[in-house]
């Protein structure tokens, strides 16, 4: 039996209490971040006597001290099941609590981060973000309700969509990639690139929201099934050690990493271009981000210029698979370009992006 049950649709939140009961939950804690505390409160209310606690202070990058604080509070209320409503930060808190307690989780994603379908937990302690991969953190139940995403501001929709796109892009050149990952990743890229401009025009368009949410689920499945490369390493470094915001950092860096890896993974990068529908996968993605009003410079995200070399050294201090081996100097050069907001470019090969192998 699959260790995870996924529901997708509109109004699916109505199935929440039944999912909790299916998992044997009798005393539920509802987790959220500060921005969604009203929604969390409503959810607690609809759970009736099942809802016994709430914790509304989930924070970006899952700081261990926040998890410990929540754990103390929820143990005091004899909680035996978690319901998380929110983005990757709230789902991260839920995973961190489940890892420590074994409590089952029902999660209601409201962004496109994709954490809900991965057995991965990233948590931050002493200024560094560490990753744990364990079946114990995979939520038992995911309820995608498109209606919960209609209020996600356009700016966050764009950056969160780019976060999802990054999972799919890096899956295409991962060493474990196979035909199945390739199809799922290219499909995810196409759905997200189709849906985001429609969301920018009409944020409450349910069809566009459903396309991007489904693409994000597919991209999350890619993240769950293969290892990520330089792009994710850099984003973890800039988030964990320099406090940069997660999805915005993904948005700024992705076109640059695509350009960096293009010569070493031409087939994979060609598939990215085809799925995006552009001849230049790096420049075309950069242009899409600009058109959607997304961020294009690390400087604008608050990164200090004097920290760029430090970040490049940290991101290259351990080895991980990446098509083009990342050297500190090369990564520093790329970070500088991303800091300045330069437009990267990958010229299409003379014979196009058709695969030859
Ligand atoms: P987030 O969860 O911090 O959400 C961003 C902001 O959007 C928050 O202020 C939140 O309150 C608000 N928000 C969320 N949904 C909303 C809605 N529907 N309406 C209005 N506001 C809403 O950010 P995120 O980008 O979703 O997640 C980032 C975190 O997730 C990072 O810590 C990252 O490392 C982690 N992550 C983990 C994985 C994994 O597999 N482990 C994958 C992706 C991301």
């Amino acid at each position: 039996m699959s260790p995870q049950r996924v529901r997708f649709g509109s109004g699916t939140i109505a199935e929440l209490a039944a999912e909790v009961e299916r998992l044997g939950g009798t005393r539920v804690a509802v987790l959220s971040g500060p921005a969604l505390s009203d929604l969390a409160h409503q959810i607690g209310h609809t759970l009736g006597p099942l809802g016994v606690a709430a914790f509304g202070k989930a924070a970006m990058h899952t700081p261990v001290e926040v998890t410990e604080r929540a754990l103390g509070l929820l143990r005091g209320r004899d909680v035996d099941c978690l319901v998380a409503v929110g983005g990757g930060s709230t789902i991260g808190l839920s995973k961190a609590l489940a890892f420590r307690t074994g409590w089952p989780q029902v999660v209601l994603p409201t962004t496109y981060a994709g954490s809900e379908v991965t057995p991965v937990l990233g948590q931050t302690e002493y200024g560094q973000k560490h990753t744990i991969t364990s079946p114990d953190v995979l939520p038992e139940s995911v309820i995608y309700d498109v209606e919960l995403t209609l209020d996600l501001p356009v700016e966050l929709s764009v950056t969160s969509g780019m976060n999802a796109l990054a999972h799919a892009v890096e899956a295409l050149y991962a060493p474990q990639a196979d035909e199945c990952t390739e199809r799922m990743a290219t499909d995810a890229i196409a759905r997200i690139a189709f849906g985001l401009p429609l969301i920018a025009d009409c944020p409450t368009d349910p069809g566009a929201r459903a396309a991007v949410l489904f693409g994000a689920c597919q991209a999350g499945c890619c993240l769950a099934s293969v290892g990520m490369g330089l792009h994710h390493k850099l984003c973890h470094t800039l988030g964990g050690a320099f406090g940069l915001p997660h999805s915005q950092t993904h948005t700024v860096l992705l076109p640059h990493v695509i350009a960096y890896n293009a010569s070493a993974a031409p087939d994979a990068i060609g598939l990215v271009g085809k799925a995006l529908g552009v001849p230049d996968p790096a420049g075309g993605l950069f242009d899409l981000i600009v058109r959607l009003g997304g961020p294009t410079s690390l400087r604008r995200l608050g990164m200090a210029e004097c920290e760029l070399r430090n970040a490049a050294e940290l991101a290259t201090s351990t080895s991980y698979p990446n098509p083009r081996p990342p050297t500190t100097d090369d990564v520093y050069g790329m970070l500088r370009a991303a800091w300045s907001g330069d437009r990267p470019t990958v010229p299409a090969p003379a014979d196009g992006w058709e695969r030859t192998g």
Side-chain angles (χ1 to χ4, degrees):
M1 198 171 74
S2 165
Q4 185 173 66
R5 184 171 133 95
V6 178
R7 303 285 296 120
F8 190 98
S10 255
T12 40
I13 195 170
E15 298 169 27
L16 177 60
E19 276 301 291
V20 165
E21 282 166 353
R22 191 181 66 81
L23 295 171
T26 59
R27 296 182 62 81
V28 173
V30 182
L31 310 175
S32 71
L36 294 186
S37 56
D38 285 352
L39 177 60
H41 184 77
Q42 272 174 36
I43 289 173
H45 190 69
T46 55
L47 282 172
L50 286 172
V52 298
F55 184 85
K57 296 203 169 78
M60 187 72 85
H61 304 306
T62 320
V64 168
E65 64 268 21
V66 173
T67 303
E68 299 294 343
R69 211 176 316 139
L71 191 58
L73 191 106
L74 304 188
R75 280 213 164 114
R77 305 300 307 268
D78 286 334
V79 161
D80 62 12
C81 183
L82 301 165
V83 166
V85 60
S89 300
T90 304
I91 295 167
L93 171 64
S94 178
K95 288 172 157 183
L97 290 167
F99 187 65
R100 287 160 175 79
T101 60
W103 293 335
Q105 314 169 66
V106 183
V107 303
L108 299 148
T110 63
T111 71
Y112 308 125
S115 175
E116 60 279 356
V117 289
T118 81
V120 182
L121 163 64
Q123 36 183 11
T124 308
E125 194 170 24
Y126 307 119
Q128 290 230 10
K129 193 159 182 176
H130 298 286
T131 299
I132 296 168
T133 301
S134 161
D136 297 342
V137 306
L138 184 75
E140 283 75 4
S141 179
V142 182
I143 300 178
Y144 287 104
D145 188 336
V146 174
E147 285 177 30
L148 297 184
T149 65
L150 299 182
D151 290 339
L152 186 65
V154 169
E155 199 183 318
L156 278 172
S157 302
V158 170
T159 57
S160 192
M162 292 297 155
N163 183 190
L165 211 68
H167 307 327
V169 168
E170 290 230 291
L172 285 171
Y173 52 63
Q176 308 89 342
D178 59 16
E179 192 75 14
C180 183
T181 343
E182 185 178 299
R183 281 175 185 245
M184 198 153 55
T186 49
D187 201 38
I189 294 170
R191 274 179 209 277
I192 294 166
F194 162 78
L196 285 181
L198 298 176
I199 289 174
D201 284 347
C202 176
T204 53
D205 176 343
R209 287 289 184 184
V212 178
L213 191 61
F214 197 77
C217 170
Q218 291 177 304
C221 292
C222 291
L223 173 64
S225 48
V226 298
M228 297 285 112
L230 172 65
H231 176 81
H232 281 72
K233 180 69 185 175
L234 273 174
C235 292
H236 272 213
T237 303
L238 295 182
F242 300 93
L244 260 58
H246 185 77
S247 62
Q248 292 84 344
T249 307
H250 271 275
T251 306
V252 172
L253 287 181
L254 189 58
H256 293 272
V257 178
I258 288 174
Y260 183 83
N261 279 330
S263 60
D267 285 354
I269 299 301
L271 288 172
V272 174
K274 277 200 217 169
L276 287 173
V278 294
D280 170 356
L285 181 60
F286 184 93
D287 296 343
L288 177 65
I289 294 166
V290 170
R291 186 152 59 90
L292 297 174
T296 52
S297 130
L298 291 179
R299 177 174 42 188
R300 297 284 293 276
L301 298 188
M303 183 76 188
E305 188 177 9
C306 60
E307 295 284 23
L308 292 174
R309 175 144 304 265
N310 202 353
E313 279 166 10
L314 259 179
T316 52
S317 60
T318 52
S319 66
Y320 45 87
N322 189 65
R324 179 171 158 198
T327 67
T328 305
D329 281 348
D330 284 351
V331 169
Y332 172 71
M334 184 178 56
L335 286 177
R336 260 209 83 75
W339 185 83
S340 303
D342 296 350
R343 179 183 186 272
T345 178
V346 177
D351 53 353
W353 287 113
E354 284 306 320
R355 304 188 77 193
T356 51

